[in-house]
Amino acid sequence: MNGQAWMLLLEGAWTTVWISGIAIALGVVIGLVIAMVRMARIPFIDQILVLYVSLARATPLVTLSLFLFLATPTFGIAMDRNTAAILALTLNTAAFNAEVWRSAFLSFSREQKEAAMACGMTNGTFFRRIMLPQMFTSSLPGLVNEMSFLIKSSPAIAVIGVVELTRVTNRITAVTYEPLPPILAAAVLYMLIIGALLKLQAIAEKKANRLAM
Amino acid sequence: MSEWSIIWEARDLFFAGIWNTLVLFVLSFVAAFVLGCGMLFLLEERTRLSIVLRWVINLMRMLPFLILAYLLYYGLPQLGLRMSAWTAGLIALTIYHAAYIAEILRGARIVLPAGQIEAAKAHGFRPFRLFYRILLPQLVIKTRPLLGNQLIYALKDTAFLTIITVQELTAAANSVQATYFIPTEAFVVVIFFYWIISIALELALKWAGRFGAKRGFEHV
């Protein structure tokens, strides 16, 4: 393994991080929107969302990535590899995040709502000023947990040809004929990324516990 | 609807894929469960081995599954240990999920009250029998929702093995779409199968929950 191989590995790690990062950011927001729409219990739409969450949680990411990348062109939507990868990761993580947000909604205390109403707050203000900050703190550990799961399943996008951290090892091996060093180096890089997230989760949990929620 | 008739023509390929996925999933999860319980037993007492095991468990929690599969399938031949993709996949699934199962059970073990263990020791239980008869049944019933989640993760991880050329369900869809150019139908069928399997798992879990409630373990 020479300097060039390390550069390739770092590039792969960067691809993993930015694609996962976009998917995480989109997934957290979309998950919140799904949870909110589900709390409103609109007939028909509610059933569709239940179906989506159930399907997205059951579908392996490898299968979903292949499906999105190969099937969308037949409907006339051309997607490049990165877009398909981001879409697959987002669809997957949004379903899990929706469940985390929903449990935060369900466990939110009713008294606070009544108190806010008595103080003359509108629904919107109440949600923005009272509910969201508390829900964010209480569901942060779950969200960060889901983030580390996302990074751990992100090698799935290698199957549609995105050159991320796992796939890079194949490229290096094709030149050096020594598969073990690049795979071990990739493992170390993954451990750094996921270890940082686990650390973040511990901090988030401590913060949530301090607020006693 | 000629595409669907092509899918029907290729049904043997799909059935072979489902069979392979199910065999890999069941074998690896049973093995992982046994191995995970064994790890937990070794973690009971603080020895040099248990410290190493803690390291291994934490390592697995920070590693993507595919990297472990790569390590076994592409990495080990460099050290002279060559195995088929199927075997490598099975071993990777087993080791990876055993670590997670051990961690789940360990989490429940920490919060278990010490009183009954002391009582069992006072009755002359040997460590293995104590673990097998008293600790393990309680821990498994208590952690069943988490173990159930792990079951679904294990099912989804089998799909990664298509990347190291194991002929499982996703690989079946991929080869059908590559031969007949009908990606939408092929993958819809496969996703449907994954969905059915995980719904069956969730139902089994609900049933296990009722069993646990009957034994007085409602509050997990």
Side-chain angles (χ1 to χ4, degrees), chain B residues 70-138:
Chain B
Y70 261 49
L71 207 60
L72 292 183
Y73 185 60
Y74 294 121
L76 284 189
Q78 199 188 334
L79 303 177
L81 194 66
R82 196 172 294 274
M83 46 191 155
S84 71
W86 197 87
T87 323
L90 184 70
I91 295 174
L93 276 171
T94 304
I95 298 175
Y96 193 72
H97 290 284
Y100 279 82
I101 290 170
E103 178 67 17
I104 289 170
L105 293 175
R106 198 184 67 86
R109 173 71 185 82
I110 293 170
V111 297
L112 204 69
Q116 36 172 311
I117 297 151
E118 283 160 10
K121 272 185 191 155
H123 276 84
F125 271 85
R126 293 281 174 84
F128 181 72
R129 181 155 279 232
L130 169 79
F131 178 77
Y132 177 70
R133 282 285 174 85
I134 299 194
L135 283 181
L136 198 57
Q138 291 191 56

Side-chain angles (χ1 to χ4, degrees), chain A residues 51 54 57-60 62-63 66-67 70-71 74 96 152-153 155-156 166 169-170 179-181 183 190-191 194-195, chain B residues 59 61-64 66-67 70-71 74-75 78-79 96 100 156 159-160 162 170 177 183-184 187 191 194-195 198:
Chain A
L51 186 71
S54 165
R57 276 154 56 105
T59 312
V62 180
T63 321
L66 276 171
F67 174 62
L70 296 168
T74 58
F96 284 93
K152 272 188 264 182
S153 47
T166 312
T169 62
N170 284 3
L180 211 47
I183 295 176
Y190 270 117
M191 275 158 57
I194 297 165
Chain B
L59 206 80
R61 286 177 64 207
M62 288 197 276
L63 228 52
L66 190 62
I67 283 282
Y70 261 49
L71 207 60
Y74 294 121
Q78 199 188 334
L79 303 177
Y96 193 72
Y100 279 82
K156 286 166 63 175
F160 274 113
T162 190
T170 303
Q177 74 85 17
T184 315
F187 280 105
I191 288 173
Y194 279 116
W195 193 40
S198 60

